[in-house]
Amino acid sequence: MSALSSCATFDRNDVAAQVGDLDLTAEAVEALAATGTQPATGDQLREQLTKWIRVTVLEAAVGMESATPTTSTGLDNRLSEVIVAVAGDNAATAYASGVSGSPVICLRAITTDSVDDANSVLATVQAGRPFADAAREFSTDTVIAADGGIVRGQDGGECIDPAAVNPAVVAALEGVPVGQAIVADLDTFAAVLMLRPFDELLPESRSLIASASVPQDQLDAIVDAADIYVDPRYGRWDPDVGSVVILTS
């Protein structure tokens, strides 16, 4: 069979891929890969097929129910959730190790002008005021206040690489349990700080943490052991690279 070019498109017809007794139709994968009014390219279709195969195999491995995906974003969320499931307690345990062991820092903060002000705010939080509500009312940083105290990275994510966090903040949080609010004197200002609970994080954040505690070769081994079929019109499953690749003659 002649090679399929990286920009080839395909007609809708029957099953595009199958994992065990679960299949994805050509119509479904085209919907996943669609971008506006333009037909999906071969590369885009293979990317979505690869993602669906990996999600479906991993969901079966941990006993999660699979369903036909309707959007690429929904499939991304399922991938995040299943990686967390594969990691099990390891992800939450790694995160619970705090700033000394977690691969990311996921922080809420309420900035104040002084330590005294911070202690006053901390008292309201310890008395039962939700941290997000206190942040909206008291934080001197309006961006953090508007976001309920969530401190975001430059990419807008809710978790930050420890290397990108103010060293004084990291030092203040050393040994502090997840979910416990503290006051930190940060030289020119003060803040109430809290490492956010693992269960509060978005799926993609929990998946990022889980990925650090699950070796890639462990995930690959699960996928490699599965019974995978790909319609030759799209390419073939290559276990060496763990993805659908162009079918060559």
Side-chain angles (χ1 to χ4, degrees):
M1 180 179 289
S2 61
L4 295 175
S5 71
S6 61
C7 61
T9 59
F10 308 97
D11 295 328
R12 297 177 180 177
N13 187 34
D14 303 326
V15 174
Q18 189 170 38
V19 172
D21 59 356
L22 298 174
D23 58 57
L24 187 71
T25 66
E27 182 177 4
V29 73
E30 287 175 5
L32 290 173
T35 54
T37 59
Q38 297 299 316
T41 67
D43 283 345
Q44 290 169 332
L45 290 163
R46 282 182 281 273
E47 178 184 359
Q48 295 303 320
L49 282 170
T50 295
K51 190 174 10 175
W52 177 81
I53 288 169
R54 296 188 72 86
V55 168
T56 303
V57 171
L58 293 174
E59 285 178 338
V62 297
M64 293 176 66
E65 184 176 353
S66 292
T68 300
T70 57
T71 66
S72 181
T73 298
L75 195 55
D76 286 335
N77 289 339
R78 282 171 55 185
L79 181 58
S80 296
E81 291 168 359
V82 75
I83 289 176
V84 173
V86 171
D89 294 337
N90 291 338
T93 299
Y95 182 71
S97 64
V99 295
S100 62
S102 174
V104 291
I105 292 177
C106 311
L107 184 67
R108 281 193 191 268
I110 303 170
T111 59
T112 62
D113 292 327
S114 68
V115 171
D116 287 343
D117 288 345
N119 279 318
S120 178
V121 173
L122 176 62
T124 69
V125 172
Q126 291 175 331
R129 182 81 181 275
F131 197 106
D133 292 347
R136 293 186 183 97
E137 180 175 353
F138 299 114
S139 182
T140 57
D141 185 312
T142 56
V143 174
I144 291 176
D147 211 358
I150 295 176
V151 180
R152 298 187 181 276
Q154 291 186 346
D155 62 355
E158 64 175 352
C159 296
I160 310 171
D161 185 322
V165 178
N166 183 334
V169 170
V170 176
L173 289 168
E174 190 70 41
V176 175
V178 170
Q180 178 178 314
I182 63 162
V183 167
D185 185 350
L186 302 173
D187 193 19
T188 58
F189 67 101
V192 179
L193 305 175
M194 183 181 73
L195 293 171
R196 299 173 62 198
F198 183 77
D199 291 341
E200 177 184 299
L201 304 178
L202 294 173
E204 54 265 34
S205 300
R206 288 185 277 120
S207 177
L208 180 64
I209 297 163
S211 296
S213 60
V214 179
Q216 185 61 45
D217 57 3
Q218 178 182 340
L219 297 176
D220 291 340
I222 296 172
V223 177
D224 289 347
D227 181 15
I228 299 169
Y229 164 80
V230 175
D231 188 308
R233 292 175 302 153
Y234 300 91
R236 65 181 178 85
W237 177 258
D238 186 341
D240 291 334
V241 296
S243 65
V244 178
V245 300
I246 296 172
L247 185 66
T248 56
S249 56

